[in-house]
Amino acid sequence: MKSLSLITILSKHEPKLFVLLLLLQLFPIWSLEYFPTLDAAGHIYNGHILWHMWFGNAELYNAYFEVNTQLNPNWLSQFLLVFLTPIFQAHVCEKIMLSFYVIGFAVAFRMLVGTYNASKLLSYLIFFFIYNTTFIYGFLNYNFGLVFLLLCIYLLKRYINKPSWSLALWFALGLLLLFFSHLVAFGVFGLLAILLVLQQFLKERKENIPYMFLKPMVVVQLTAAFILPSALLLHYILYDSESANYSRIPPNEIWKNLMELSGNFCYSFAEFGFTRWIWILVFAGLLVSIVLYLLKRQHQFIRRFIALTSFGKFSLFATLILLALCFILPDSSAGGGGALTFRLVFLTMFFFSVFMFTLIQNKLLLAGILVILNVVAIDKLFYIKGKQELNQEYCATMNGAADYIEENAAMLCFDFNRLWPMTHIPKYAATKRNLILADNLGAHKLFSPVLWRDDLRLNIWMIGAIENEWVCDLARVESTMHKKIDYFLLSGACEQAEQSKPMCEKWNRFLGDSCVLIYKGNPDIKLYKREKVN
């Protein structure tokens, strides 16, 4: 009776434990003033531009940018930021957006577990996967895509369980949000939706009951849900001219990434010390289950420890589909941001982990494994917090540079320090002071919500933002923009760039003759104001 009472108490308070662990996932983000991720500052800058083009300083930004009227994937984060940037500073907007993802990803997975009537314990697996590669890359749209991918699977599964117009409408809204989040997540859902339909078809055939998807009302409801996202996808495919940026990753490299769960790394391979625990624990749990079975020698006993459930079957086939995509699809731009393969690697190992954990049916054993796994996840939180503490001075210095810059100016940034993941942090200052940056993330790409005007289309080689920072034709940049660059923000010294001596001499001479140093901070950050125009 006492053990039964304990289980009852734990079951009663289990939702509170989930919320507590979820709030703990937000600790690294909100315990520090800054939590920089690679691309997030660029998205925030574009959200700031959109707000001004629609409601604010339109004259300044309309002279250089235009709103992308094509309704593409990659829009959702910028649309949300339109309403956040007028209220919060850029670094706070970043933390809010990251928090949306953290909460959404965890809650959507818990809802998915629930709709399969699987053990609620499985929902605690999500905390191991929240801080991953795309998270620290600041791929805000793709991260939202992960949230709506799980949410749409949940909604479609609920609809299959009990069709209704209300669920069909919620499903339609989820599909729209998924489409506007990211093309990869939308495409993956399309394949998994087919998997769900096939599972239902086989179930109905086995039980000799009428096929649900042949019922007229179901056909009408699902057609209504899919028609608009499908039309948007078709329009995007027909008018997209920039996705043919193909490259191939060797198969042995893909296998290595899968085995190491590299999609879970935020900073370096050192994090394999955390990710390997999922392999250790799940195989240890299955081994214990098998040993117990062999000791009992009873066939029915194994079902209490290892079983292939409906959720397990779905996760297994989802894994196989995603695994095939890892090797079949090229590593294209995939709607922005590149690195399609490591996105697929992450999703493959996520669903494979879900499958492995669904096999373990003994709740006490599963709970013990998940407790250890969450201890590892919490340890990783403090590791990430420690890494981000090293970035505080850099972010504060970049943010503080805005106080020395006049409104409506143009600025060019050179990043020689190459500190991860702070490449786009100068956009903090640009967001505070209404600056025109020559380096605007994605504005030269047709998938971006904010585009350079046709006559001002800069490219990354012109501004020297990729390999050698000093390889920048200032005269051509200014001629293209029809505007003189007023400020030059430097992080580090040009001597850090390879084969840069001639360009260093040229630029140092230019800065000495035409500019004045007006701000200096650590680590080696300098802001120059142009005094003379040659």
Side-chain angles (χ1 to χ4, degrees):
M1 290 293 292
K2 287 184 178 180
S3 62
L4 183 61
S5 177
L6 179 61
I7 292 172
T8 304
I9 293 172
L10 290 175
S11 299
K12 181 179 179 181
H13 294 284
E14 180 273 330
K16 296 178 183 177
L17 177 60
F18 185 86
V19 172
L20 179 63
L21 289 175
L22 177 54
L23 292 176
L24 191 58
Q25 293 288 316
L26 298 173
F27 170 70
I29 298 173
W30 291 100
S31 62
L32 301 169
E33 184 175 5
Y34 299 92
F35 194 93
T37 56
L38 182 63
D39 282 358
H43 292 301
I44 293 164
Y45 177 54
N46 280 332
H48 172 80
I49 291 173
L50 283 171
W51 187 87
H52 278 284
M53 292 177 77
W54 288 342
F55 310 112
N57 192 354
E59 184 178 354
L60 170 68
Y61 290 110
N62 283 340
Y64 299 95
F65 301 105
E66 60 187 14
V67 179
N68 189 349
T69 55
Q70 184 173 329
L71 297 176
N72 293 337
N74 246 37
W75 249 103
L76 185 59
S77 70
Q78 275 81 359
F79 183 77
L80 294 174
L81 286 164
V82 166
F83 303 99
L84 290 176
T85 52
I87 304 172
F88 303 101
Q89 290 192 46
H91 65 283
V92 179
C93 290
E94 182 169 21
K95 295 200 284 187
I96 292 172
M97 296 293 282
L98 296 176
S99 300
F100 284 165
Y101 154 74
V102 170
I103 295 170
F105 196 34
V107 171
F109 182 67
R110 185 173 173 87
M111 292 166 68
L112 179 59
V113 169
T115 200
Y116 270 97
N117 294 321
S119 171
K120 291 180 180 178
L121 291 172
L122 284 171
S123 64
Y124 291 84
L125 179 62
I126 196 65
F127 297 125
F128 188 80
F129 289 95
I130 286 175
Y131 284 82
N132 53 57
T133 306
T134 58
F135 174 84
I136 210 67
Y137 268 64
F139 290 174
L140 299 182
N141 291 305
Y142 178 72
N143 292 335
F144 286 142
L146 293 177
V147 174
F148 289 110
L149 170 64
L150 296 183
L151 190 61
C152 284
I153 296 171
Y154 158 78
L155 289 169
L156 181 56
K157 178 61 179 173
R158 273 202 64 188
Y159 179 86
I160 288 172
N161 293 340
K162 191 175 181 181
S164 69
W165 270 110
S166 60
L167 277 174
L169 291 173
W170 280 112
F171 180 51
L173 177 60
L175 280 176
L176 275 176
L177 292 171
L178 178 59
F179 174 82
F180 285 117
S181 297
H182 203 273
L183 187 62
V184 170
F186 187 77
V188 168
F189 172 75
L191 295 173
L192 299 188
I194 295 172
L195 175 59
L196 282 171
V197 171
L198 287 174
Q199 274 193 312
Q200 181 67 16
F201 173 79
L202 293 173
K203 177 184 175 182
E204 291 163 344
R205 184 176 181 181
K206 181 179 179 181
E207 297 176 0
N208 197 27
I209 57 178
Y211 296 129
M212 186 189 78
F213 291 102
L214 296 181
K215 296 177 180 178
M217 186 54 67
V218 171
V219 172
V220 171
Q221 289 172 349
L222 289 183
T223 300
F226 274 101
I227 191 166
L228 182 55
S230 300
L232 289 169
L233 177 62
L234 180 62
H235 180 268
Y236 176 78
I237 292 172
L238 291 176
Y239 288 92
D240 175 39
S241 60
E242 294 192 343
S243 288
N245 179 23
Y246 299 134
S247 60
R248 285 283 179 184
I249 294 179
N252 62 318
E253 190 69 23
I254 296 174
W255 279 117
K256 181 182 177 183
N257 289 331
L258 288 165
M259 294 300 101
E260 293 172 352
L261 274 81
S262 60
N264 252 31
F265 297 170
C266 292
Y267 299 98
S268 70
F269 180 75
E271 292 170 64
F272 184 61
F274 300 110
T275 59
R276 66 182 176 184
W277 276 98
I278 200 165
W279 293 123
I280 296 171
L281 291 171
V282 73
F283 284 115
L286 292 173
L287 181 61
V288 169
S289 299
I290 292 169
V291 169
L292 289 171
Y293 162 68
L294 293 174
L295 289 174
K296 292 290 183 178
R297 296 283 183 177
Q298 295 179 14
H299 183 68
Q300 66 272 20
F301 187 79
I302 195 171
R303 293 179 182 174
R304 295 170 52 194
F305 288 88
I306 301 177
L308 188 58
T309 64
S310 177
F311 192 29
K313 292 175 184 176
F314 171 78
S315 302
L316 173 60
F317 285 107
T319 300
L320 295 175
I321 291 170
L322 289 161
L323 181 63
L325 293 179
C326 287
F327 292 93
I328 293 171
L329 294 181
D331 196 54
S332 71
S333 60
L340 171 60
T341 302
F342 76 65
R343 290 182 173 106
L344 294 174
V345 164
F346 172 77
L347 282 172
T348 301
M349 299 316 299
F350 172 71
F351 279 104
F352 181 68
S353 300
V354 172
F355 160 67
M356 296 293 281
F357 275 84
T358 59
L359 292 176
I360 303 173
Q361 292 298 293
N362 183 278
K363 289 187 177 181
L364 185 60
L365 179 61
L366 181 61
I369 293 172
L370 286 168
V371 165
I372 299 173
L373 198 65
N374 273 274
V375 169
V376 175
I378 291 169
D379 189 25
K380 184 176 178 179
L381 293 182
F382 285 94
Y383 167 81
I384 288 170
K385 181 178 182 292
K387 286 288 188 180
Q388 290 287 24
E389 284 174 346
L390 301 175
N391 302 330
Q392 299 303 296
E393 184 178 29
Y394 185 94
C395 293
T397 303
M398 283 294 185
N399 203 26
D403 298 333
Y404 298 83
I405 301 174
E406 297 176 2
E407 288 271 347
N408 305 334
M411 185 168 74
L412 191 59
C413 305
F414 294 120
D415 177 17
F416 300 109
N417 278 319
R418 300 287 177 146
L419 299 177
W420 176 261
M422 264 94 63
T423 301
H424 297 291
I425 295 305
K427 294 179 176 67
Y428 283 173
T431 305
K432 287 175 70 175
R433 305 301 290 174
N434 288 333
L435 302 181
I436 302 299
L437 293 183
D439 175 20
N440 181 356
L441 176 67
H444 61 290
K445 292 285 189 178
L446 294 181
F447 59 75
S448 173
V450 174
L451 299 172
W452 288 105
R453 281 177 38 188
D454 285 340
D455 55 329
L456 303 177
R457 190 65 55 87
L458 297 175
N459 61 66
I460 54 179
W461 301 112
M462 191 188 303
I463 61 175
I466 296 298
E467 298 296 337
N468 189 334
E469 291 283 346
W470 287 116
V471 181
C472 170
D473 188 339
L474 180 61
R476 187 178 175 191
V477 169
E478 293 181 329
S479 173
T480 303
M481 293 180 65
H482 308 298
K483 183 175 178 65
K484 295 297 181 182
I485 301 297
D486 306 293
Y487 294 91
F488 298 86
L489 183 60
L490 277 64
S491 171
C494 66
E495 287 76 14
Q496 294 173 242
E498 295 181 4
Q499 301 176 347
S500 61
K501 186 175 180 180
M503 296 301 293
C504 279
E505 293 175 353
K506 173 186 174 182
W507 274 95
N508 285 331
R509 187 164 53 250
F510 167 80
L511 293 172
D513 293 343
S514 303
C515 304
V516 58
L517 179 65
I518 60 173
Y519 175 75
K520 186 175 181 179
N522 292 322
D524 194 17
I525 295 172
K526 299 174 183 177
L527 177 65
Y528 290 89
K529 182 179 181 181
R530 195 170 187 177
E531 292 294 320
K532 293 186 288 184
V533 178
N534 298 327

